[in-house]
Amino acid sequence: MLSAPAATNGTKAVVSVRSETDSQQVAKRPAASSPGGGRRIGSALGRAAWWTAAVFGLPFGLLALWWVLSADSETFYLPPLSEILASFDDVWLHSDRLAADVLPSLLRLAAGFLLAVVVGVGLGVLIGSFRRVRAFCEPVLEFLRAIPPPVLVPVLMLFAGFGNTMKVLVVLSGCVWPILLNTVEGVRAVDEVLTETCRCYGIRGPARLWHLVVRSASPQIVTGLRQALSVGIILMVISEMFAANNGLGYTIIQFQRTFAVTDMWTGILLLGLLGFLLAMLLRLFERSALHWYFGLRQSQRDDGQR
Amino acid sequence: MNSTALPQAGSGPLLDVRALRKVYAGRGRSVEAVRDLTFSVGAGELVCVVGPSGAGKTTLLKCIAGLLPPTSGELVLEGAPVQGPPPGMAVVFQEYGRSLFPWMTVQQNVELPLKQKKSLDKARRRQLVRDALAAVGLADVPDAYPWQLSGGMQQRVALARAVAYEPHILLMDEPFAAVDAQTRADLEDLVRSLWQRLGVTILFVTHDIDEAVYLGQRVLVLSASPTLVLDDVAIDLPAERDQLGTRSSARFGELRAKVFGQIQRAKGARPTDPAPPTDPALPADPEHADSDPADSPADVPPPRQSTDAGSR
Ligand SMILES: Nc1ncnc2c1ncn2[C@@H]1O[C@H](COP(=O)(O)OP(=O)(O)OP(=O)(O)O)[C@@H](O)[C@H]1O
Ligand SMILES: [Mg+2]
């Protein structure tokens, strides 16, 4: 279907064997809601268990390793994990730091990230749709993309001061590139037959933009989002380390400067945990927004195997 | 002798193609896909276009659909020159699998073009979608995604989308090239019944001679590239056609042989040659030549002949 001749031939072979009749109006592959027998439920449970093990196995393994190796640690800078975990809830949960530091950090990250989505997808659609615009913008984009966003922090401080605006702009300036570039690629790859279908049926304007361009590019856009998220977390912390009076990055730097090493480690753990949760959130979004894409690829693989 | 709906008096042809020429200009190399095509299609007609692979059939259709600007020549649809995709036209593409939106369900695919028509309210839209899906026999899978369907079913979704759009003219580009014989026969009958019921004008491109003769009121035979119209064969078979009876009738055999002869000549013919006249010496299938179709109900339909033998 994306690769027309191969897919078509595959389909032909399948169909001729099945000798489809009109009474046989069933979908080739059952949709998500298929009747569940006992084995199906069993395998679903098995899958859930496997998934849980896959997701949590390695992290917990590494934590256990850390726990064991650091158990007798006398080094001031590497306290035992048991101590770190013991002080974790004192530092973060039995204080106002969640509201005073973690929340502002997350809000700045969210604002920068969402702005980057709007700007990146918007510009990406524009640049990807018109060859002239692309030729015009490409050199500038390559130049801007090559600048490491952290060096923008001092510059942005000059313009936007030390407040939230600066930090949001720093996050935005880093997140926008992966989203923009992936969107451009996605938009350029929109299927020509679908484009012509839209022209024939008078699908234009916002309907075309959404149903054809953005949806076609959505797998690449989500790839961009995933890259942008990790960049965004890094920049959130860095922007707070430069100049701030609250936030996760600021707190960790404060701990370090006051030689509260154990507390500093709890901050690093929390940061990792947050990154993990945000990535999972994005994965959930991907599962629902791109379920068609996974289904399509699966069906192409199935056709290829037969 | 047949039910050919001639263009209504005074209304003129629905579609007029005059001296159409299309050259694809590429870097360094240009391809003359269509040299000189002139024909017209009356309102309510079902015209089939046959020609070998690479003859420029898709090119012709895309020009008519307003998707490609012709290099020269004129295209007039319903009295107005074609400049972009005309509003009353629907197209079923050769690559039907790629022409369905994989992120939409069957129902959403059929409904999307209707949403662009401001005159339709939601209830009417839903009604059109339901009717179209029922007409192609897909009433029970509105919520499936195209990639969950077999090739023949996907093709029927594309057909339902075209039908729901209520076009005046329907262009179909080798729509059944990739489905099995049984499904194909069903889809052919479906096209004829939709055509008879809806009164829509259909231009049906195929490389399959049998299919063209079975479906059409007229068959336009195209030469190999660079393309000319070799012949315009009127199909004087009865309006009520069925796969077994019609295909085994003597007249069907004659018409098929006639078109086949033209195609054979097309392969050898220099494009500059004048279109060869119809050759009465060309024999029809002797087995069927004088047999009454009613006498041979058990006859197996004659083998299909293709304009591009074995390339598909
Ligand atoms: N976009 C294009 N650029 C250049 N040449 C093209 C293009 N599209 C088609 N052609 C050429 O034009 C000629 C006619 O192509 P076309 O697709 O119209 O043939 P067709 O009759 O539809 O063939 P088929 O039966 O295989 O679908 C071919 O020689 C092809 O190589
Ligand atoms: Mg073609």
Side-chain angles (χ1 to χ4, degrees):
Chain A
M1 284 142 249
L2 287 183
S3 57
T8 312
N9 289 340
T11 313
K12 180 179 185 173
V14 174
V15 173
S16 56
V17 173
R18 289 164 22 105
S19 107
E20 189 178 8
T21 61
D22 265 308
S23 61
Q24 197 183 347
Q25 303 293 350
V26 284
K28 185 162 77 178
R29 277 163 222 90
S33 62
S34 51
R39 187 184 298 165
R40 210 168 259 282
I41 292 170
S43 83
L45 274 180
R47 254 206 319 277
W50 193 91
W51 190 83
T52 314
V55 169
F56 295 105
L58 189 59
F60 276 100
L62 288 175
L63 277 179
L65 197 67
W66 183 3
W67 183 289
V68 171
L69 289 181
S70 67
D72 310 318
S73 172
E74 301 283 313
T75 322
F76 179 68
Y77 297 110
L78 286 173
L81 181 57
S82 49
E83 261 177 51
I84 298 174
L85 291 182
S87 51
F88 188 93
D89 55 334
D90 275 345
V91 176
W92 296 106
L93 304 180
H94 301 300
S95 65
D96 63 347
R97 286 204 177 92
L98 273 190
D101 293 306
V102 179
L103 190 62
S105 286
L106 287 180
L107 287 179
R108 288 187 284 240
L109 174 63
F113 185 80
L114 292 179
L115 275 176
V117 173
V118 173
V119 175
V121 174
L123 281 181
V125 167
L126 188 73
I127 295 171
S129 299
F130 303 102
R131 193 156 8 109
R132 295 242 172 86
V133 180
R134 197 155 61 237
F136 185 70
C137 292
E138 211 134 59
V140 181
L141 286 184
E142 289 299 328
F143 174 77
L144 288 178
R145 187 170 66 114
I147 300 174
V151 309
L152 290 178
V153 175
V155 183
L156 288 172
M157 265 160 60
L158 294 178
F159 292 105
F162 300 84
N164 287 330
T165 317
M166 180 272 280
K167 298 183 185 76
V168 170
L169 284 178
V170 171
V171 173
L172 167 67
S173 71
C175 289
V176 80
W177 302 113
I179 300 178
L180 175 65
L181 297 173
N182 279 291
T183 305
V184 169
E185 286 314 306
V187 170
R188 286 180 62 180
V190 171
D191 192 292
E192 198 189 331
V193 180
L194 278 185
T195 308
E196 290 186 340
T197 302
C198 282
R199 283 188 66 197
C200 283
Y201 287 109
I203 299 163
R204 28 185 133 73
R208 181 179 183 280
L209 208 58
W210 173 251
H211 292 297
L212 176 70
V213 181
V214 175
R215 295 302 300 271
S216 287
S218 57
Q220 279 92 336
I221 293 176
V222 171
T223 303
L225 295 186
R226 213 169 322 121
Q227 295 169 0
L229 181 64
S230 49
V231 173
I233 294 175
I234 294 170
L235 289 176
M236 168 193 87
V237 174
I238 288 180
S239 72
E240 290 168 353
M241 284 177 167
F242 265 89
N245 46 26
N246 65 4
L248 251 174
Y250 165 81
T251 312
I252 291 173
I253 283 291
Q254 279 315 101
F255 286 146
Q256 188 246 344
R257 285 187 183 146
T258 55
F259 297 100
V261 175
T262 309
D263 296 353
M264 180 192 80
W265 277 107
T266 63
I268 293 172
L269 265 187
L270 180 65
L271 210 50
L273 207 60
L274 283 178
F276 174 78
L277 288 178
L278 290 174
M280 283 293 126
L281 216 60
L282 195 60
R283 179 68 62 86
L284 275 183
F285 169 74
E286 182 180 21
R287 283 275 142 203
S288 73
L290 294 186
H291 78 103
W292 64 267
Y293 180 66
F294 300 117
L296 176 66
R297 281 210 330 217
Q298 183 64 46
S299 80
Q300 283 169 347
R301 269 200 295 275
D302 290 353
D303 281 348
Q305 275 162 13
R306 261 176 277 203
Chain B
M1 70 183 143
N2 67 1
S3 75
T4 308
L6 293 166
Q8 280 123 42
S11 68
L14 185 84
L15 170 70
D16 220 349
V17 179
R18 293 184 208 131
L20 178 74
R21 179 162 183 264
K22 176 67 191 178
V23 180
Y24 287 107
R27 251 170 271 137
R29 191 183 92 97
S30 61
V31 180
E32 188 181 30
V34 172
R35 174 162 292 179
D36 181 7
L37 287 182
T38 300
F39 63 89
S40 57
V41 178
E45 268 191 307
L46 200 175
V47 177
C48 291
V49 178
V50 282
S53 187
K57 304 183 293 296
T58 299
T59 306
L60 166 68
L61 228 60
K62 285 191 175 170
C63 286
I64 297 174
L67 295 170
L68 277 179
T71 307
S72 64
E74 252 186 303
L75 287 162
V76 180
L77 181 75
E78 295 182 306
V82 173
Q83 265 140 3
M89 174 183 284
V91 182
V92 176
F93 288 93
Q94 194 168 359
E95 306 93 339
Y96 57 90
R98 279 165 67 198
S99 85
L100 297 174
F101 296 87
W103 43 87
M104 291 186 187
T105 62
V106 165
Q107 172 174 334
Q108 290 166 336
N109 262 291
V110 177
E111 190 172 10
L112 182 64
L114 305 185
K115 286 189 174 166
Q116 314 310 313
K117 291 188 171 182
K118 295 286 169 278
S119 55
L120 295 175
D121 62 5
K122 190 170 175 177
R124 173 87 185 114
R125 217 164 59 210
R126 285 282 150 88
Q127 186 63 44
L128 283 170
V129 172
R130 255 199 313 277
D131 291 350
L133 285 177
V136 301
L138 286 179
D140 49 355
V141 290
D143 296 323
Y145 286 87
W147 37 268
Q148 293 172 322
L149 306 178
S150 68
M153 291 166 93
Q154 290 179 19
Q155 187 56 283
R156 278 184 279 166
V157 177
L159 192 56
R161 177 169 65 186
V163 167
Y165 195 61
E166 296 184 303
H168 307 165
I169 181 162
L170 174 57
L171 308 182
M172 303 178 80
D173 191 0
E174 297 193 26
F176 311 141
V179 296
D180 66 284
Q182 175 62 47
T183 310
R184 184 176 188 153
D186 292 345
L187 289 172
E188 285 166 4
D189 288 334
L190 177 64
V191 166
R192 271 199 70 90
S193 75
L194 285 173
W195 169 67
Q196 281 168 333
R197 223 176 63 211
L198 306 175
V200 61
T201 309
I202 299 182
L203 193 65
F204 189 103
V205 166
T206 176
H207 64 268
D208 185 324
I209 298 167
D210 289 39
E211 184 168 78
V213 172
Y214 180 73
L215 279 180
Q217 290 178 303
R218 276 164 61 201
V219 175
L220 292 175
V221 183
L222 302 189
S223 70
S225 186
T227 311
L228 304 163
V229 179
L230 281 186
D231 201 0
D232 184 344
V233 181
I235 303 298
D236 48 2
L237 293 168
E240 287 307 320
R241 300 183 189 176
D242 71 287
Q243 293 287 348
L244 203 62
T246 306
R247 282 182 190 277
S248 54
S249 73
R251 189 65 193 138
F252 185 86
E254 284 164 28
L255 288 165
R256 194 184 47 144
K258 182 171 176 187
V259 175
F260 186 65
Q262 294 291 1
I263 293 274
Q264 286 304 94
R265 220 158 308 151
K267 285 180 178 167
R270 300 298 327 131
T272 41
D273 293 347
T278 314
D279 187 355
L282 194 92
D285 191 345
E287 292 252 46
H288 298 294
D290 347 68
S291 69
D292 187 332
D295 290 345
S296 51
D299 258 4
V300 183
R304 282 169 181 273
Q305 284 161 336
S306 172
T307 53
D308 49 328
S311 79
R312 249 155 234 282

